[in-house]
Amino acid sequence: MGVRKRYLLFFILLIAVVSLTGCSTDYIKNPAPIDPNSGSYWDRYFIFPMSWVLDELATLMMGSYGLSIIATTILIRLLILPLMVKQIRSSKAMQAIQPELQKVRDKHKENPQKLQEETMKLFQKHNVNPLAGCLPLVVQMPILIAFYQAIIRNESVRDHDFLWMALGSPDPFYILPILAAITTFFQSKVMQAGMPPNPQMQMMLVIMPIMILVIAVTLPSALSLYWVFGNIFTILQTYFIRGNQPIAAQEGKKK
Protein backbone atom coordinates (compact mmCIF):
# COMPACT_ATOMS: atom_id res chain seq x y z
CA MET A 1 0.00 0.00 0.00
CA GLY A 2 1.35 3.41 -0.99
CA VAL A 3 2.26 6.24 1.33
CA ARG A 4 -0.80 8.24 0.26
CA LYS A 5 -3.13 5.38 1.20
CA ARG A 6 -1.37 4.94 4.53
CA TYR A 7 -1.92 8.61 5.34
CA LEU A 8 -5.56 8.26 4.36
CA LEU A 9 -5.86 5.24 6.65
CA PHE A 10 -4.22 7.17 9.47
CA PHE A 11 -6.65 10.05 8.92
CA ILE A 12 -9.62 7.65 9.07
CA LEU A 13 -8.27 5.91 12.18
CA LEU A 14 -7.74 9.26 13.90
CA ILE A 15 -11.38 10.10 13.27
CA ALA A 16 -12.27 6.69 14.72
CA VAL A 17 -10.18 7.37 17.84
CA VAL A 18 -11.98 10.64 18.48
CA SER A 19 -15.36 9.02 17.92
CA LEU A 20 -14.70 5.90 19.99
CA THR A 21 -13.30 7.83 22.93
CA GLY A 22 -16.66 9.51 23.26
CA CYS A 23 -15.21 12.99 23.15
CA SER A 24 -18.45 14.88 23.39
CA THR A 25 -18.72 17.64 25.98
CA ASP A 26 -21.24 15.72 28.11
CA TYR A 27 -19.10 12.61 28.10
CA ILE A 28 -15.98 14.49 29.18
CA LYS A 29 -17.83 16.26 32.00
CA ASN A 30 -19.58 13.10 33.19
CA PRO A 31 -17.54 10.09 32.04
CA ALA A 32 -18.62 6.60 33.01
CA PRO A 33 -16.58 5.13 35.89
CA ILE A 34 -14.16 2.29 35.12
CA ASP A 35 -15.55 -0.98 36.45
CA PRO A 36 -12.90 -3.75 36.51
CA ASN A 37 -15.32 -6.34 37.88
CA SER A 38 -18.70 -6.14 36.19
CA GLY A 39 -17.81 -3.75 33.42
CA SER A 40 -17.45 -4.62 29.77
CA TYR A 41 -14.61 -6.72 28.40
CA TRP A 42 -13.12 -3.50 27.04
CA ASP A 43 -13.21 -1.86 30.49
CA ARG A 44 -11.72 -4.84 32.29
CA TYR A 45 -8.89 -5.81 29.98
CA PHE A 46 -7.96 -2.56 28.25
CA ILE A 47 -9.06 0.60 30.05
CA PHE A 48 -8.63 -0.55 33.66
CA PRO A 49 -5.01 -1.75 33.16
CA MET A 50 -4.16 1.60 31.57
CA SER A 51 -5.78 3.48 34.43
CA TRP A 52 -3.94 1.27 36.95
CA VAL A 53 -0.60 2.07 35.30
CA LEU A 54 -1.40 5.79 35.49
CA ASP A 55 -2.18 5.49 39.21
CA GLU A 56 0.90 3.42 40.01
CA LEU A 57 3.27 5.69 38.12
CA ALA A 58 1.71 8.75 39.75
CA THR A 59 2.44 7.17 43.15
CA LEU A 60 6.08 6.70 42.13
CA MET A 61 6.27 10.29 40.88
CA MET A 62 5.23 12.16 44.00
CA GLY A 63 1.55 12.04 43.10
CA SER A 64 1.98 13.90 39.80
CA TYR A 65 -0.46 12.63 37.18
CA GLY A 66 1.11 14.95 34.62
CA LEU A 67 4.43 13.13 34.97
CA SER A 68 2.53 9.84 35.07
CA ILE A 69 0.92 10.57 31.70
CA ILE A 70 4.31 11.42 30.20
CA ALA A 71 5.88 8.25 31.62
CA THR A 72 2.97 6.09 30.46
CA THR A 73 3.18 7.65 27.00
CA ILE A 74 6.87 6.74 26.76
CA LEU A 75 6.17 3.24 28.09
CA ILE A 76 3.46 2.62 25.50
CA ARG A 77 5.66 3.95 22.71
CA LEU A 78 8.47 1.63 23.79
CA LEU A 79 6.10 -1.34 23.81
CA ILE A 80 4.94 -0.65 20.25
CA LEU A 81 8.42 0.31 19.07
CA PRO A 82 8.92 -2.98 17.16
CA LEU A 83 5.77 -2.21 15.17
CA MET A 84 6.98 1.29 14.39
CA VAL A 85 10.36 -0.04 13.28
CA LYS A 86 8.56 -2.43 10.95
CA GLN A 87 6.44 0.41 9.59
CA ILE A 88 9.46 2.61 8.91
CA ARG A 89 11.38 -0.22 7.24
CA SER A 90 8.37 -1.03 5.11
CA SER A 91 8.14 2.60 4.06
CA LYS A 92 11.82 2.59 3.08
CA ALA A 93 11.44 -0.66 1.13
CA MET A 94 8.42 0.66 -0.77
CA GLN A 95 10.28 3.86 -1.54
CA ALA A 96 13.29 1.94 -2.88
CA ILE A 97 11.22 0.10 -5.51
CA GLN A 98 9.18 3.13 -6.63
CA PRO A 99 11.16 3.60 -9.89
CA GLU A 100 10.56 -0.04 -10.90
CA LEU A 101 6.95 0.17 -9.79
CA GLN A 102 6.38 3.25 -11.93
CA LYS A 103 7.84 1.46 -14.96
CA VAL A 104 5.41 -1.41 -14.42
CA ARG A 105 2.51 1.03 -14.15
CA ASP A 106 3.51 2.84 -17.35
CA LYS A 107 4.01 -0.40 -19.25
CA HIS A 108 0.73 -2.03 -18.28
CA LYS A 109 -1.53 0.95 -17.66
CA GLU A 110 -3.97 -0.30 -20.31
CA ASN A 111 -4.15 -3.80 -18.80
CA PRO A 112 -5.20 -3.73 -15.11
CA GLN A 113 -4.97 -7.50 -14.70
CA LYS A 114 -1.43 -7.64 -16.06
CA LEU A 115 -0.52 -4.60 -13.98
CA GLN A 116 -1.67 -6.35 -10.82
CA GLU A 117 0.25 -9.53 -11.71
CA GLU A 118 3.49 -7.68 -12.47
CA THR A 119 3.14 -5.54 -9.37
CA MET A 120 2.80 -8.62 -7.16
CA LYS A 121 5.83 -10.19 -8.88
CA LEU A 122 7.82 -7.05 -8.12
CA PHE A 123 6.78 -7.16 -4.47
CA GLN A 124 7.78 -10.83 -4.25
CA LYS A 125 11.10 -10.19 -6.00
CA HIS A 126 12.08 -7.56 -3.42
CA ASN A 127 10.34 -9.29 -0.51
CA VAL A 128 8.11 -6.29 0.11
CA ASN A 129 4.74 -6.54 1.84
CA PRO A 130 2.59 -3.54 0.81
CA LEU A 131 0.38 -4.01 3.88
CA ALA A 132 3.24 -4.10 6.39
CA GLY A 133 3.23 -0.32 6.74
CA CYS A 134 -0.47 -0.25 7.65
CA LEU A 135 -0.51 -3.10 10.17
CA PRO A 136 1.24 -1.11 12.95
CA LEU A 137 -1.36 1.66 12.65
CA VAL A 138 -4.21 -0.84 12.98
CA VAL A 139 -2.62 -2.65 15.94
CA GLN A 140 -1.94 0.62 17.77
CA MET A 141 -5.53 1.83 17.68
CA PRO A 142 -6.94 -0.31 20.54
CA ILE A 143 -3.98 0.71 22.71
CA LEU A 144 -4.38 4.40 21.99
CA ILE A 145 -8.17 4.35 22.40
CA ALA A 146 -7.83 2.56 25.75
CA PHE A 147 -5.28 5.11 26.93
CA TYR A 148 -7.52 8.00 25.90
CA GLN A 149 -10.44 6.45 27.77
CA ALA A 150 -8.30 5.78 30.85
CA ILE A 151 -7.23 9.43 30.97
CA ILE A 152 -10.77 10.75 30.56
CA ARG A 153 -12.39 8.30 32.99
CA ASN A 154 -9.76 8.29 35.74
CA GLU A 155 -11.14 10.62 38.40
CA SER A 156 -7.71 11.35 39.88
CA VAL A 157 -6.45 12.53 36.50
CA ARG A 158 -9.48 14.76 35.98
CA ASP A 159 -9.02 16.43 39.36
CA HIS A 160 -5.26 16.92 39.12
CA ASP A 161 -3.36 20.09 38.23
CA PHE A 162 -0.09 20.04 36.31
CA LEU A 163 1.98 23.13 35.60
CA TRP A 164 -0.50 25.85 34.46
CA MET A 165 -3.47 23.61 33.67
CA ALA A 166 -6.12 21.33 35.10
CA LEU A 167 -5.64 17.97 33.40
CA GLY A 168 -9.40 17.37 33.25
CA SER A 169 -10.10 20.64 31.42
CA PRO A 170 -8.93 22.18 28.13
CA ASP A 171 -5.72 24.19 28.23
CA PRO A 172 -6.87 27.77 29.02
CA PHE A 173 -3.93 29.27 27.11
CA TYR A 174 -4.02 26.80 24.17
CA ILE A 175 -0.31 26.12 24.64
CA LEU A 176 -0.57 22.32 24.54
CA PRO A 177 -2.98 22.21 21.58
CA ILE A 178 -0.62 24.45 19.61
CA LEU A 179 2.36 22.28 20.58
CA ALA A 180 0.38 19.18 19.62
CA ALA A 181 -0.29 20.67 16.17
CA ILE A 182 3.34 21.75 15.69
CA THR A 183 4.76 18.38 16.74
CA THR A 184 2.23 16.61 14.50
CA PHE A 185 3.52 18.67 11.57
CA PHE A 186 7.16 17.84 12.29
CA GLN A 187 6.31 14.18 12.86
CA SER A 188 4.74 14.06 9.39
CA LYS A 189 7.75 15.84 7.90
CA VAL A 190 10.14 13.34 9.44
CA MET A 191 8.04 10.40 8.24
CA GLN A 192 8.03 11.82 4.70
CA ALA A 193 11.76 12.60 4.62
CA GLY A 194 13.38 11.65 1.32
CA MET A 195 10.11 10.84 -0.42
CA PRO A 196 9.28 12.41 -3.79
CA PRO A 197 6.91 15.43 -3.79
CA ASN A 198 3.28 14.41 -3.64
CA PRO A 199 0.37 16.90 -3.61
CA GLN A 200 -1.81 14.65 -1.43
CA MET A 201 0.96 14.15 1.12
CA GLN A 202 1.69 17.89 1.18
CA MET A 203 -2.00 18.52 1.80
CA MET A 204 -1.97 16.08 4.72
CA LEU A 205 0.96 18.01 6.21
CA VAL A 206 -1.42 20.94 6.62
CA ILE A 207 -4.67 19.11 7.33
CA MET A 208 -3.40 16.85 10.13
CA PRO A 209 -1.96 19.60 12.38
CA ILE A 210 -5.07 21.75 11.89
CA MET A 211 -7.31 18.82 12.74
CA ILE A 212 -5.25 18.03 15.85
CA LEU A 213 -5.41 21.68 16.93
CA VAL A 214 -9.19 21.91 16.50
CA ILE A 215 -9.74 18.68 18.42
CA ALA A 216 -7.19 19.42 21.16
CA VAL A 217 -8.64 22.80 22.14
CA THR A 218 -11.88 21.06 23.17
CA LEU A 219 -10.37 18.07 24.99
CA PRO A 220 -8.87 17.71 28.48
CA SER A 221 -5.29 18.94 28.72
CA ALA A 222 -4.25 15.43 29.70
CA LEU A 223 -4.92 14.24 26.15
CA SER A 224 -2.98 17.12 24.61
CA LEU A 225 -0.10 16.29 26.95
CA TYR A 226 -0.17 12.73 25.67
CA TRP A 227 -0.22 13.89 22.04
CA VAL A 228 2.72 16.26 22.46
CA PHE A 229 5.05 13.76 24.09
CA GLY A 230 3.86 10.92 21.85
CA ASN A 231 4.74 13.02 18.80
CA ILE A 232 8.12 14.00 20.21
CA PHE A 233 8.94 10.36 20.91
CA THR A 234 7.93 9.38 17.36
CA ILE A 235 10.06 12.15 15.86
CA LEU A 236 13.12 11.06 17.83
CA GLN A 237 12.65 7.34 17.20
CA THR A 238 12.18 7.91 13.47
CA TYR A 239 15.31 10.06 13.36
CA PHE A 240 17.44 7.45 15.10
CA ILE A 241 15.99 4.46 13.22
CA ARG A 242 16.51 6.07 9.82
CA GLY A 243 19.62 8.00 10.73
CA ASN A 244 20.01 11.70 10.14
CA GLN A 245 19.91 11.34 6.35
CA PRO A 246 16.84 11.24 4.12
CA ILE A 247 15.90 7.95 2.54
CA ALA A 248 16.90 9.11 -0.89
CA ALA A 249 20.41 9.93 0.30
CA GLN A 250 20.73 6.56 2.01
CA GLU A 251 19.64 4.73 -1.10
CA GLY A 252 22.03 6.79 -3.19
CA LYS A 253 24.97 5.74 -1.05
CA LYS A 254 24.09 2.10 -1.50
CA LYS A 255 24.30 2.40 -5.30
Side-chain angles (χ1 to χ4, degrees), residues 8-223:
L8 178 60
L9 175 61
F10 180 78
F11 185 82
I12 294 172
L13 290 176
L14 183 60
I15 293 291
V17 169
V18 175
S19 300
L20 291 174
T21 51
C23 291
S24 66
T25 304
D26 290 339
Y27 182 86
I28 292 174
K29 289 182 177 179
N30 302 292
I34 303 171
D35 189 346
N37 299 315
S38 59
S40 66
Y41 179 90
W42 179 250
D43 276 13
R44 284 179 288 170
Y45 297 107
F46 286 88
I47 300 176
F48 175 74
M50 288 289 184
S51 180
W52 180 84
V53 170
L54 285 171
D55 290 337
E56 292 300 311
L57 287 177
T59 301
L60 294 175
M61 296 181 176
M62 300 172 289
S64 174
Y65 275 89
L67 294 178
S68 174
I69 289 172
I70 295 172
T72 305
T73 299
I74 295 173
L75 178 62
I76 291 175
R77 295 291 176 167
L78 288 173
L79 289 175
I80 63 178
L81 182 58
L83 293 176
M84 296 303 297
V85 171
K86 187 175 182 179
Q87 179 183 354
I88 292 170
R89 288 177 176 172
S90 173
S91 176
K92 292 174 66 176
M94 285 293 295
Q95 182 61 28
I97 67 171
Q98 283 303 307
E100 293 182 65
L101 191 58
Q102 188 59 50
K103 290 180 181 179
V104 171
R105 289 170 179 166
D106 293 339
K107 183 178 180 180
H108 302 288
K109 59 184 177 181
E110 303 296 336
N111 190 338
Q113 183 175 354
K114 186 66 174 178
L115 173 60
Q116 184 177 4
E117 292 176 0
E118 293 301 317
T119 300
M120 293 307 299
K121 287 180 181 179
L122 183 62
F123 288 154
Q124 292 172 359
K125 175 184 176 182
H126 293 278
N127 195 28
V128 172
N129 182 356
L131 298 179
C134 299
L135 181 60
L137 290 177
V138 175
V139 173
Q140 289 177 58
M141 284 305 107
I143 299 174
L144 300 183
I145 293 171
F147 190 41
Y148 286 163
Q149 289 264 356
I151 289 174
I152 292 174
R153 297 169 61 184
N154 186 308
E155 185 175 350
S156 297
V157 174
R158 296 199 308 272
D159 295 338
H160 190 81
D161 293 335
F162 182 66
L163 299 178
W164 67 87
M165 58 206 158
L167 291 176
S169 303
D171 185 341
F173 303 113
Y174 308 115
I175 296 174
L176 279 182
I178 292 173
L179 287 177
I182 292 173
T183 53
T184 297
F185 173 81
F186 282 107
Q187 175 184 304
S188 300
K189 289 285 287 184
V190 169
M191 296 295 290
Q192 294 181 22
M195 296 180 182
N198 184 298
Q200 288 82 8
M201 290 170 61
Q202 293 302 314
M203 183 175 63
M204 291 302 293
L205 274 177
V206 177
I207 292 177
M208 289 301 296
I210 292 176
M211 180 179 175
I212 290 293
L213 176 62
V214 172
I215 294 173
V217 296
T218 65
L219 297 181
S221 299
L223 295 179

